[in-house]
Amino acid sequence: MKLTGVELRRIRLPLVGEFRTSFGSQKARDALLVRAVSPDGDGWGECVALAAPVYSPEYVDGAEHLIRHHLLPPLFADHELTAEKVAPLLSHVKGNQMAKGALEMALLDLELRLRDESLATHLGAVREWVDCGVSVGIMNDIGELIDAVAGYLDQGYKRIKLKIEPGWDVKAVQAVRERFGDILLQVDANTAYTLQDAAHLAELDEFNLLLIEQPFEEEDVRSHAELAKQIRTPVCLDESINSARAATDAIAIGACSIVNIKAGRVGGYLEAKRVHDVCEAKGVPVWCGGMLETGLGRAANVALAALPNFTLPGDTSASDRYFAQDITEPFVLDDGRLRVPTGPGLGVTVSQDALDQVTTSTKYIPAVKPAGRK
Ligand code: NPG
């Protein structure tokens, strides 16, 4: 396939509630969407980089610049482009998995639509519904936290993840465990601790958590292996795992016994499947992370979460947990689960109206520059 051009669309979707983590507070989702255009049809990708480089080194203005000036030229030059070729064609560009992943996603959507195949089928999905958890941000006080968790449990979420940071950890977990009993409960530290906090983190052991996610810096994989020897709560990695190779290495040194998979963090859904596969081969369960995606990214995440080794509920919550109005048809919780899309490609449709309402800028980059333009 030859691309005709790519549309880069920036959107700002207000969140229904502020989402506070150890790396800052989000009130809206500033996202970059990419639409790959070919003579036969188009496909959508979503870049999950945040507005600021606080979760990972990528950020959305940077991603847009990079896509435009470094990633699109080699893709435009390939007249037999496929989604599979995106990563190899871009391998000379270091890092920037989220920007690369967005382009691969758009190509996958385009290609699979033309082939009338769903992303779920393409990736090897084995289930029609996926179990859903919800990620609960840091709150002002325990009362607010209990109310938020109660609301989510009422809606049917099958697992609660609490964001933690120093000063908001053991007491928050204890309060939720005491109030709600034997629910599936886990915590996410987003790198907010150091190995010196090991004894403090061991205080979480008595609450029978499913896992503690990424307590230390992403480069500090070895300290996670040390921690895993000192606490009973299983250690799960997120930020540290930026490829299947990183997953293999982390597992080999005992740094994690569970892995959070986010396609954007590893460069796209094809590498995400490879992460799934290496974990499966080592008997390490995985679950699907979330980055406050629109219906596009959510559709792809739900397809990914339908693979066999996704045995824990993911951060694949319903659309109304995030947005009053999404840009696709909403994902609706049914008995704590979301249905895996079966239509071609991502299997969802962008509402042009809804999209236009939240668009802050649109740029169309043609593959061939119009004559006379530099
Ligand atoms: O449900 O999409 C969701 C949010 C889940 O907690 C969540 N995501 O650290 O995993 C994370 C966090 C995140 C959100 C990370 C936005 C980066 C951006």
Side-chain angles (χ1 to χ4, degrees):
M1 161 198 343
K2 160 121 188 71
L3 287 178
T4 316
V6 165
E7 180 182 294
L8 300 177
R9 201 181 260 259
R10 293 286 292 274
I11 60 170
R12 184 175 171 81
L13 269 174
L15 290 168
V16 289
E18 184 182 10
F19 184 59
R20 221 170 100 200
T21 66
S22 59
F23 59 82
S25 176
Q26 315 291 319
K27 293 196 175 70
R29 189 57 168 116
D30 285 298
L32 167 65
L33 304 181
V34 302
R35 186 167 62 92
V37 183
S38 82
D40 303 315
D42 41 7
W44 284 99
E46 175 167 352
C47 177
V48 289
L50 291 175
V54 288
Y55 165 80
S56 76
E58 292 187 79
Y59 64 104
V60 69
D61 284 341
E64 184 174 350
H65 184 278
L66 183 93
I67 287 175
R68 195 168 173 174
H69 297 286
H70 297 277
L71 304 186
L72 286 181
L75 301 188
F76 286 155
D78 190 317
H79 292 198
E80 283 164 40
L81 185 61
T82 62
E84 288 279 350
K85 285 167 83 176
V86 171
L89 279 170
L90 303 180
S91 64
H92 61 288
V93 174
K94 303 290 182 192
N96 292 286
Q97 283 86 344
M98 294 175 184
K100 292 174 178 175
L103 289 169
E104 186 195 81
M105 178 178 165
L107 262 297
L108 266 176
D109 185 34
L110 199 174
E111 209 172 289
L112 294 173
R113 276 176 198 277
L114 296 180
R115 241 195 274 159
D116 200 21
E117 185 185 355
S118 72
L119 179 62
T121 303
H122 185 69
L123 293 176
V126 292
R127 42 183 99 89
E128 290 169 18
W129 294 86
V130 299
D131 286 347
C132 298
V134 63
S135 173
V136 184
I138 292 164
M139 304 275 164
N140 293 317
D141 56 57
I142 298 287
E144 211 177 283
L145 175 68
I146 295 292
D147 288 350
V149 172
Y152 290 131
L153 291 173
D154 278 352
Q155 289 169 45
Y157 285 104
K158 290 183 184 283
R159 171 286 258 156
I160 299 291
K161 160 168 138 178
L162 302 182
K163 290 289 191 182
I164 58 167
E165 65 181 4
W168 182 265
D169 46 34
V170 178
K171 285 203 176 70
V173 170
Q174 181 175 20
V176 170
R177 188 51 101 204
E178 280 173 3
R179 173 70 183 76
F180 300 104
D182 198 21
I183 58 169
L184 296 184
L185 186 62
Q186 65 191 54
V187 292
D188 182 5
N190 287 112
T191 76
Y193 297 86
T194 70
L195 190 52
Q196 291 184 341
D197 299 308
H200 178 67
L201 294 174
E203 290 177 36
L204 293 169
D205 279 348
E206 67 174 291
F207 302 110
N208 198 20
L209 300 176
L210 283 172
L211 58 93
I212 177 170
E213 187 180 352
Q214 196 74 41
F216 310 141
E217 280 297 330
E218 62 179 274
E219 293 83 6
D220 197 4
V221 178
R222 203 166 136 186
S223 289
H224 290 91
E226 273 309 309
L227 180 72
K229 289 188 218 147
Q230 296 181 37
I231 65 172
R232 283 198 312 275
T233 307
V235 175
C236 169
L237 288 176
D238 170 11
E239 283 91 330
S240 296
I241 306 299
N242 55 15
S243 64
R245 175 183 288 185
T248 304
D249 291 351
I251 293 166
I253 66 160
C256 61
S257 51
I258 300 174
V259 170
N260 163 333
I261 302 186
K262 290 175 179 161
R265 201 193 60 223
V266 301
Y269 287 87
L270 300 179
E271 183 73 1
K273 176 175 164 46
R274 289 188 280 270
V275 178
H276 164 274
D277 293 349
V278 300
C279 291
E280 187 175 42
K282 295 287 174 198
V284 169
V286 303
W287 56 280
C288 185
M291 293 188 61
L292 311 170
E293 286 89 349
T294 73
L296 292 168
R298 192 159 312 283
N301 286 347
V302 170
L304 181 68
L307 269 63
N309 194 37
F310 282 83
T311 52
L312 294 166
D315 284 343
T316 46
S317 309
S319 307
D320 68 359
R321 182 258 175 270
Y322 312 92
F323 315 116
Q325 161 88 65
D326 206 334
I327 56 165
T328 64
E329 60 273 40
F331 281 81
V332 179
L333 210 61
D334 182 333
D335 196 19
R337 305 168 309 167
L338 291 183
R339 187 191 277 282
V340 179
T342 52
L346 299 174
V348 287
T349 308
V350 170
S351 151
Q352 195 63 47
D353 257 12
L355 180 62
D356 287 343
Q357 274 174 36
V358 295
T359 297
T360 54
S361 80
T362 310
K363 295 186 188 85
Y364 182 74
I365 321 294
V368 179
K369 290 198 185 86
R373 290 269 301 276
K374 285 210 172 154

